[in-house]
């Protein structure tokens, strides 16, 4: 991209790029030590075909039934219908039902992991068929496909309708042992030098952080066009854009025009990101998440699930339009896990399921003009407008029993979704995630087909872009203490600022300092001014060890 310094390419990766791409069958056989290899999916017949661009779209917490209901609700085919190619297994290293953090880690790095872990190896493996991880490798960071794309010279982007620091976008851009550690995630994302970052989550960027750093000033120093509204985003002609459109998450798509009209849609963010990233002659990688389908599923809110799914489908349409014209773009669309166990049919239809018309499910849903979150945002403190709130959620002409249930409710949101779901004959089995296999949608060079592991998808994307994730992990995550001590250095971790640990290596008058979460190494000889250099990788501290890239190590030697 014009004006952007060319990304470095390490010697190890040059060797990797010379290799022919792995077939998906080889990925299934090889894996990387954390998948059980039971998937039987394959790429298309041209399984050594490379992709200049890769677009990964994740519909967080969706499920196959959501797509079915959304299709009836929309009244026509979905964009993803045209690229249904298989299914994906979603379990984690410790459970048949995964959390979003290990699910995102699997999709981004090709490794099974544990609940709450982002971009690092698991410390516990008890799922049958998943290979154990050596004790000393627990919590070790592993490379993701975005980092690999950077090393091949590609432009990169991340989009989310949640905070950009949330589990799934974090898995494609950071490495932490706790998904709730937004401060470290945000800092790594800023110093990853991603070209386009769009979503919510401005709070972890400002001076209210625990470490007192103001990452907004760093973003400005890095020459991003920092935008906060839809209009600013669409007007930007920069090749580096950072869009923060809310302190936390963005509004649900159905609510946006009424509550947050200044925010862009997921499709608009997708189109803008593709337009920007595609200017790079080397290609691009873009990760996109429709985040709040999952949040609506946790709340058992069918309206939020369906309408945000349709907003996600619009983003898929944008990606496919580009891919079809471009001819060199791999598109993968998938949910990271099921959620809520939503069903078409519930106890109301036990004896009438085969004669209940489609309208009995869809018409009640069509009455809603806001999600349950949006409807509750209208509620007066004294609840004097309770009927109005219920009507906005589609509960018109309340029966006496329904009104009483709402007036006596201690959890109004839960009661609203229960009443509407009863009217629409929609069932739920849980307020949590589910362990079902999910549909796989894919298009373009080396697109996967059949039943695959979620970890396979990361290797498929990496192979299409010409690198190996295992080699990349070895190249960009070296144990700093072990390597410097081999060279005769004395090492310590400076925790004077407990929120900003720094790795320190000393040998005679030579001092090397490497801060966590950043992309810099400083060398100081005696009392001379330090020589600081920036790199295309970030340093990761997993609360036990510092991990740096081979290039950082070679510079410091």
């Amino acid at each position: 991209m014009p004006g952007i310094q060319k990304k470095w390419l390490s010697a190890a990766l040059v060797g990797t790029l010379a290799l022919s791409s792995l077939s998906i069958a080889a990925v299934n056989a090889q894996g990387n030590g954390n998948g059980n290899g039971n998937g039987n999916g394959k790429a298309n017949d041209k399984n050594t075909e490379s992709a200049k661009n890769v677009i990964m779209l994740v519909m967080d917490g969706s499920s196959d039934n959501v797509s079915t209901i959304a299709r009836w609700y929309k009244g026509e085919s979905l964009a993803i219908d045209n690229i249904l190619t298989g299914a994906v297994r979603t379990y984690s290293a410790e459970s048949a039902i995964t959390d979003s953090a290990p699910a995102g880690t699997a999709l981004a790095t090709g490794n099974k992991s544990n609940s709450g872990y982002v971009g690092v190896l698991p410390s516990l493996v008890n799922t049958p068929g998943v290979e154990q991880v050596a004790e000393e490798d627990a919590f070790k960071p592993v490379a993701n496909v975005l980092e690999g794309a950077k090393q091949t010279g590609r432009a990169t982007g991340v989009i989310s309708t949640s905070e950009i620091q949330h589990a799934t976008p974090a898995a494609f851009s950071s490495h932490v042992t706790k998904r709730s550690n937004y401060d470290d995630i945000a800092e790594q994302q800023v110093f990853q030098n991603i070209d386009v970052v769009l979503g919510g989550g401005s709070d972890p960027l400002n001076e209210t952080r625990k470490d007192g750093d103001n990452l907004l000033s760093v973003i400005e120093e890095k020459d991003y066009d920092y935008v906060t509204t839809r209009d600013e985003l669409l007007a930007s002609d920069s090749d580096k854009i950072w869009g923060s459109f809310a302190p936390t998450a963005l509004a649900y798509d159905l609510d946006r025009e009424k509550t947050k009209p200044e925010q862009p849609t997921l499709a608009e963010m997708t189109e803008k990101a593709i337009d920007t990233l595609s200017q790079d002659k080397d290609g691009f990688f873009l990760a996109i998440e429709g985040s709040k389908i999952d949040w609506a599923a946790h709340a058992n809110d069918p309206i939020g699930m369906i309408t945000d799914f349709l907003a996600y489908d619009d983003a898929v349409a944008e990606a496919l339009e580009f891919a079809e014209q471009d001819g060199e773009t791999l598109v993968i669309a998938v949910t990271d896990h099921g959620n809520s166990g939503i069903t078409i049919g519930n106890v109301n239809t036990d004896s009438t399921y085969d004669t209940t018309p489609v309208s009995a499910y869809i018409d009640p849903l069509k009455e809603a003009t806001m999600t349950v979150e949006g409807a509750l945002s209208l509620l007066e403190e004294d609840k004097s407008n309770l009927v109005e709130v219920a009507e906005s959620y589609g509960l018109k002409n309340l029966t006496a029993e329904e009104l009483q249930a709402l007036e006596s409710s201690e959890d109004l949101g839960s009661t609203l979704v229960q009443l509407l779901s009863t009217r629409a004959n929609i069932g739920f089995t849980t307020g949590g995630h589910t362990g079902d296999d999910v549909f796989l949608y894919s298009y373009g060079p080396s697109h996967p087909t059949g039943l695959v592991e979620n970890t396979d998808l990361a290797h498929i994307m990496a192979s299409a872009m010409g690198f190996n994730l295992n080699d990349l992990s070895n190249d960009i995550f070296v144990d700093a203490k072990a390597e410097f001590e081999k060279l005769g250095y004395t090492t310590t971790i400076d925790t004077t600022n407990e929120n900003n640990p720094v790795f320190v290596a000393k040998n005679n008058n030579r001092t090397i300092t490497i801060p966590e979460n950043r992309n810099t190494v400083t060398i100081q000889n005696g009392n001379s001014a330090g020589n600081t250099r920036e790199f295309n990788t970030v340093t990761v501290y997993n609360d036990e060890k510092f991990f740096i890239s081979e290039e950082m190590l070679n510079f410091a030697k």
Side-chain angles (χ1 to χ4, degrees):
M1 298 177 71
I4 292 182
Q5 186 176 357
K6 203 64 181 172
K7 291 85 175 175
W8 65 270
L9 199 62
S10 72
L13 285 172
V14 170
T16 299
L17 293 174
L19 299 175
S20 63
S21 297
L22 292 171
S23 69
I24 306 312
V27 169
N28 285 332
Q30 168 195 328
N32 66 353
N34 278 299
N36 70 7
N38 289 341
N40 60 5
K42 297 181 179 179
N44 58 11
D45 291 337
K46 299 178 181 179
N47 56 25
T48 59
E49 189 176 358
S50 63
K52 180 179 180 181
N53 314 302
V54 174
I55 304 174
M56 175 60 150
L57 301 106
V58 180
M59 42 183 152
D60 198 302
S62 187
S63 61
D64 302 341
N65 274 341
V66 177
S67 64
T68 303
I69 301 172
R71 190 180 302 104
W72 285 119
Y73 182 94
K74 184 179 181 180
E76 57 186 89
S77 296
L78 306 170
I80 58 174
D81 290 345
N82 298 316
I83 58 169
L84 177 62
T85 58
V88 180
R89 304 187 70 186
T90 62
Y91 59 90
S92 74
E94 64 182 316
S95 177
I97 301 177
T98 187
D99 166 52
S100 287
T105 296
L107 295 173
T109 76
N111 289 272
K112 298 286 186 181
S113 196
N114 293 151
S115 185
Y117 296 11
V118 173
V120 300
L121 292 177
S123 58
L124 171 68
V125 176
N126 58 22
T127 299
V130 178
E131 186 173 328
Q132 292 294 323
V133 172
E135 184 176 352
E136 63 270 20
D137 288 336
F139 305 108
K140 181 180 179 180
V142 280
N144 60 57
V145 288
L146 183 145
E147 290 167 323
K150 285 199 306 176
Q151 311 319 323
T152 64
R154 289 174 169 84
T156 56
V158 178
I159 299 173
S160 178
T161 55
S162 66
E163 299 93 334
I164 204 69
Q165 303 85 14
H166 211 255
T168 305
F172 284 91
S173 54
S174 68
H175 310 270
V176 293
T177 58
K178 295 182 179 68
R179 61 176 287 182
S180 59
N181 189 350
Y182 278 17
D183 281 4
D184 280 2
I185 292 169
E187 191 169 27
Q188 288 183 38
Q189 289 174 328
V190 169
F191 284 92
Q192 283 278 21
N193 291 322
I194 304 165
D195 298 291
V196 176
V197 181
L198 305 175
S202 60
D203 276 354
L205 300 174
N206 59 40
E207 64 276 4
T208 61
R209 295 165 48 87
K210 291 179 182 178
D211 59 14
D213 290 347
N214 188 339
L215 294 180
L216 292 177
S217 63
V218 178
I219 289 171
E220 183 177 349
E221 292 167 4
K222 289 181 174 293
D223 295 325
Y224 284 97
D225 184 5
Y226 184 74
V227 298
T228 59
T229 68
R230 172 185 181 273
D231 290 345
E232 289 175 352
L233 172 65
L234 299 184
S236 178
D237 60 1
S238 175
D239 53 16
K240 291 184 69 176
I241 307 173
W242 194 296
S244 289
F245 307 108
T248 54
L250 305 189
Y252 281 101
D253 191 72
L254 184 63
D255 303 332
R256 181 179 35 78
E257 289 189 7
K258 294 181 181 178
T259 62
K260 300 291 181 181
E262 71 280 5
Q263 294 179 355
T265 67
L266 184 60
E268 288 170 338
M269 290 190 287
T270 299
E271 181 181 17
K272 184 65 175 182
I274 291 173
D275 287 347
T276 303
L277 298 173
S278 61
Q279 301 307 307
D280 191 315
K281 64 181 179 63
D282 297 310
F284 67 86
F285 170 79
L286 176 60
I288 302 164
E289 183 192 38
S291 317
K292 294 182 69 172
I293 305 169
D294 181 68
W295 298 14
H298 278 297
N300 286 178
D301 174 14
I303 300 302
M305 296 171 74
I306 293 165
T307 55
D308 258 41
F309 178 92
L310 291 174
Y312 167 88
D313 192 60
D314 289 342
V316 173
E318 292 290 345
L320 287 176
E321 180 180 1
F322 173 81
E324 288 167 357
Q325 295 174 356
D326 172 70
E328 298 180 277
T329 300
L330 169 61
V331 176
I332 297 177
V334 68
T335 183
D336 53 350
H337 53 75
N339 192 344
S340 79
I342 187 171
T343 60
I344 306 172
N346 60 14
V347 294
N348 296 342
T349 60
D350 279 349
S351 58
T352 61
Y353 59 84
D354 56 343
T355 58
T356 303
V358 172
S359 59
Y361 304 103
I362 300 305
D363 288 356
L365 300 176
K366 288 278 193 176
E367 294 292 333
T369 58
M370 302 189 82
T371 69
V372 72
E373 178 181 284
L376 289 173
S377 71
L378 305 176
L379 187 65
E380 300 290 349
E381 188 173 351
D382 63 0
K383 298 185 179 180
S384 58
N385 65 334
L386 181 58
V387 172
E388 176 189 345
V389 168
E391 288 179 346
S392 69
Y393 189 59
L395 295 169
K396 300 178 180 179
N397 303 313
L398 290 168
T399 66
E401 292 79 6
E402 289 174 329
L403 181 58
Q404 182 181 8
L406 290 171
E407 290 176 337
S408 61
S409 175
E410 296 182 359
D411 184 347
L412 187 56
S414 178
T415 303
L416 285 167
V417 298
Q418 289 171 6
L419 292 177
L420 182 60
S421 295
T422 298
R423 285 190 177 193
N425 302 297
I426 299 295
F428 293 93
T429 62
T430 179
H433 295 180
T434 56
D436 36 315
D437 297 340
V438 297
F439 283 153
L440 167 66
Y441 304 89
S442 62
Y443 173 87
S446 293
H447 69 272
T449 64
L451 176 63
V452 301
E453 297 285 338
N454 53 7
T455 50
D456 290 342
L457 296 179
H459 294 292
I460 290 165
M461 291 185 285
S463 177
M465 289 187 283
F467 59 89
N468 180 288
L469 282 167
N470 299 326
D471 293 343
L472 182 62
S473 291
N474 293 333
D475 194 52
I476 68 175
F477 294 121
V478 174
D479 183 339
K481 175 182 172 67
E483 294 303 316
F484 276 105
E485 290 185 352
K486 286 180 186 177
L487 299 171
Y489 283 82
T490 300
T491 67
T492 57
I493 297 175
D494 182 356
T495 57
T496 303
N497 181 342
E498 63 180 3
N499 294 307
N500 275 323
V502 177
F503 177 83
V504 181
K506 292 185 178 182
N507 189 349
N508 297 321
N509 289 327
R510 185 179 176 86
T511 301
I512 298 165
T513 55
I514 307 175
E516 73 162 346
N517 301 327
R518 301 204 171 204
N519 65 337
T520 60
V521 176
T522 300
I523 301 176
Q524 186 173 16
N525 293 305
N527 296 322
S528 65
N531 175 20
T532 300
R533 179 176 164 185
E534 291 189 358
F535 296 85
N536 202 36
T537 55
V538 293
T539 295
V540 176
Y541 176 50
N542 67 359
D543 297 328
E544 294 183 5
K545 299 177 181 179
F546 266 78
F547 293 89
I548 64 174
S549 69
E550 283 279 0
E551 194 185 32
M552 287 179 169
L553 178 63
N554 291 334
F555 167 71
K557 285 180 178 178

